[in-house]
Structure formats: C-alpha cells, structure tokens
C-alpha cells in the first residue's frame, strides 16, 4: 500500500479495536470506515448460521433495517452466493471471496435471489470475508462481513481482495475479545473488576510489553510456576514481563505482543492463531490469544494505558476426554491417546510435537492413525467428536 493508503488503513484498524469493548461502534463508526476504505456503500457483518431473531449478531451500514429483516426472515434460504460458496469449499476462516469466485454476473442475474432481493435494492457486486469459520478453533460463532457495490460502481478487483485480507485478522481479534466478554455476561464497557470474574487468565499489556494488569486466574497460573510467569523489571512500575520457562516460547510471546500492540498490517494473525506454551509438570499446554485494544476503553490502570489484551487458557483445566474411552472404544494405543488429548489443546502438529518433546513426523503418523480409528477426516470433525466425548463423560 502507498503511504496515504497505509495511513487510512491504520486509522480503520484503530477504529476496529474500539468495537471490542463498545459494540455500538460497529454500526456507528467501524463499518462506515471499512466501507469507505473498500469503497463499498453497503457493509454488513453477521452470523450466517444464527439469524438475529435467534440471537445472532448483525451490524449494518448503508442498508435499511427493513432490507436486512427481509433477508434474515426469508431470502437467506435462497441466497445462491452462500449456497454455492459452501458447495465450492470457499467458506473457510480468513478467506476473502469475490462474487465472480462463486458464479458469473450473468448467471447470478438469472436467479430468483437476484431478481427478488438484490436487484430491487440495487446490489450488484459483492466482496465477502469469512471472519470466523464453522467450528472455528477460536470457539467464536461463524461470522461473515459482506461488502456490496451498486450497479453504477466498479466490480471488485484483486486489489480490493488484498485490502480486505489485511483487515480480517484485526476484525477477528476485536470480535473475539467482544464475544469473550459478552459470553461471560459482562457489560460491554467492562471494568478490571469484571475481568477478574472471567474463568480464563486475562492479562493487559502496554505499548512496551509491560504487564499492567493480570486477573485472579492469571495470577494463579503465574504463582504455580508451571510454564508461565512474570519477570519483574526493576526500572518500571508495572507487574513485569510475561515470559515462559524456555527462551523460545518467551520469544514467541514477545513477538506476538509486539505484532499486536503495533497493529502490524502484515504480521497480525487471525484471532484463532494462538501461542502455545508447554506446562512443565504435565503433558498439557497453556494457549495464549492476543488482541489489540482501542484507544478508548475502560481498562485504565494508571499512567501506562493498556494497548493489548491476552487471554490464557489452561489446558489442564479444560474438560478432558477420558483416555480409557479412546483406548477401549476406539482402539487407540497409549501413545495415540496422548497425542489426541494434546491435539485438542494445540493449533498445529508442530505445537503438539513441542508440547510432547517428540518429532513432528511421529505426531503426523499418530494423527493419521487417530483419524482413521475415530472415523474422521478433518480437524473440525475430530474436534467435534472429542468435544462430544468430553461432554458426555460420567464421573
């Protein structure tokens, strides 16, 4: 991007993070800014598998509420864009889809969906992004941002696709924080006291990577000294730096924090991409998710304003599958059962290998056997089966 466009991008990204703690900003400020950046007069972000009448989110810019209501109560059932995107395998996390990826304009104009819904509202060109996919490992519900141009506008280009791709990780992080907070039934403008009530660890850091706040759950993790801790710096007023027992994992945490607080347009990863840190006393990992915070929020801790929030999940405290079920019912070996349990806590096979102190080739071999014995062929199906086994266990 050119300098002026990069400055515009940074302004939009800064606004996106305001939505993490103030959902009213999405409709009022954020989607209009995204629409302007993409030259899209209409921009809508919603849960495609959970309509607003069923509790799904729907933030709208440039579209009358009536138009959205008609879609969510009727026309979503004949939305050929959505149907064909699923059929073509285009609906995966982080993907950005041009309307022509799905079907040519000439074919679209022959459909009832176009004639009855799009044409009367003068919607012609579409650019959509999958912010969260189905069965996202971030545990966020499926979410799409749709950007439309009218018939007097230009078709979307590959350049437009690239611009939206850069926004998606930031959208995912802001929404991820918002939904984490809302899932705990906290107010949008959450206070530090409210963060203390969250069951997962929550850490706030400033622009210098200094921890300015850690909730009760995070403090308990640090006190255990089981892979994560705070290193106090003598010349600062904060709580210290978040580090791991190994230099490599400490560097991974530091790099993730720097990319987050700097809002790097090219290095920022999706909210579902987390850092894993092995626990030293057992075969599980901590998982850390990072997101920047907006310039205006309720997490004021004094002179050093927090610039980012980190969620820490303790794999040992997560609901587990009884390994006896995996061995007795599905015939997994002891080694395969151990890999299956760790695979639930890690995003990649490389991270599983790191947690288990073994080679990635060994993990890959075990994973192939695990999938075959469980009768699954994708990670999403594996996670769904394992979650079902965990929730159905008896004491």
């Amino acid at each position: 991007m050119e300098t002026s466009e990069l400055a515009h991008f940074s302004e939009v990204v800064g606004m996106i993070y305001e939505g993490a703690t103030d959902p009213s900003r999405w409709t009022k400020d954020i989607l209009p800014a995204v629409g302007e950046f993409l030259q899209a007069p209409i921009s809508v972000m919603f849960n495609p598998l959970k309509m607003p009448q069923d509790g799904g989110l729907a933030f709208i810019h440039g579209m009358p509420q009536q138009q959205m209501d008609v879609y969510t109560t009727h026309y979503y059932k004949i939305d050929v864009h959505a149907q064909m995107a699923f059929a073509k395998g285009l609906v995966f996390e982080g993907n950005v889809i041009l309307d022509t990826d799905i079907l040519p304009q000439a074919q679209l104009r022959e459909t009832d969906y176009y004639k009855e819904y799009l044409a009367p509202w003068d919607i012609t060109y579409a650019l959509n992004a999958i912010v969260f996919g189905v069965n996202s490992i971030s545990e966020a519900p499926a979410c799409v941002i749709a950007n439309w141009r009218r018939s007097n506008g230009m078709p979307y280009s590959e350049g437009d696709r690239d611009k939206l791709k850069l926004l998606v990780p930031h959208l995912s992080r802001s929404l991820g924080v918002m939904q984490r907070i809302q899932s705990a039934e906290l107010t949008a403008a959450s206070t530090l006291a409210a963060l203390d009530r969250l069951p997962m660890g929550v850490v706030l850091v400033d622009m210098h990577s200094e921890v300015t706040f850690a909730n009760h759950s995070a403090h308990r993790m640090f006190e255990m000294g089981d892979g994560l801790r705070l290193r106090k710096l003598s010349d600062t007023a904060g709580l210290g730096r978040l580090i791991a027992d190994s230099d490599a994992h400490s560097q991974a945490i530091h790099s993730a924090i720097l990319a987050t607080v700097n809002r790097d347009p090219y290095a920022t990863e999706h909210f579902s991409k987390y850092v894993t840190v092995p626990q030293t006393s057992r075969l599980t990992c901590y998982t850390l998710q990072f997101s920047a915070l907006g310039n205006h929020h309720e997490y004021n801790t004094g002179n050093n304003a927090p610039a980012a929030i980190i969620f820490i999940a303790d794999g040992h405290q997560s609901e587990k599958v009884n390994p006896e079920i995996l061995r007795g019912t599905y015939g997994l070996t002891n080694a395969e059962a151990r890999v299956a349990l760790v695979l639930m806590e890690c995003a990649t096979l490389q991270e599983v290998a790191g947690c288990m102190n073994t080679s990635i080739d060994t993990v890959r071999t075990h994973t192939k056997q695990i999938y075959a014995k469980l009768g699954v062929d994708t990670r999403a199906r594996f996670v769904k089966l394992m979650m079902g086994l965990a929730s159905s266990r008896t004491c």
Side-chain angles (χ1 to χ4, degrees), residues 25 28 55 66 82 88 100 128 204 238 300 306 314 326 333 343 371 383 386:
R25 298 291 300 277
K28 184 171 62 175
Q66 175 194 358
K88 290 188 172 186
T100 51
N128 303 330
L204 303 179
N300 188 0
D314 183 347
L326 298 176
T333 65
L343 192 59
Y371 278 25
V383 170
M386 292 287 281

Side-chain angles (χ1 to χ4, degrees), residues 68-140:
M68 188 67 188
D69 292 343
V70 170
Y71 176 84
T72 59
T73 57
H74 177 67
Y75 284 104
Y76 77 94
K77 299 174 185 176
I78 61 169
D79 183 345
V80 292
H81 272 155
Q83 293 168 359
M84 294 193 67
F86 272 104
K88 290 188 172 186
L90 299 175
V91 184
F92 57 89
E93 200 156 80
N95 195 28
V96 177
I97 309 168
L98 295 173
D99 47 23
T100 51
D101 294 338
I102 301 173
L103 76 169
Q105 275 287 325
Q107 278 185 249
L108 173 65
R109 296 184 186 198
E110 294 300 315
T111 65
D112 292 339
Y113 176 62
Y114 179 82
K115 294 174 183 177
E116 298 177 17
Y117 182 70
L118 297 181
W121 294 99
D122 194 21
I123 295 175
T124 305
Y125 306 112
L127 177 67
N128 303 330
I130 313 302
V131 182
F132 289 111
V134 179
N135 296 323
S136 170
I137 62 174
S138 69
E139 300 180 1

Side-chain angles (χ1 to χ4, degrees), residues 175-194:
L175 278 176
V177 173
M178 185 190 80
Q179 290 167 344
R180 282 284 175 89
I181 292 172
Q182 288 186 333
S183 67
E185 298 182 351
L186 305 178
T187 60
S190 297
T191 63
L192 296 177

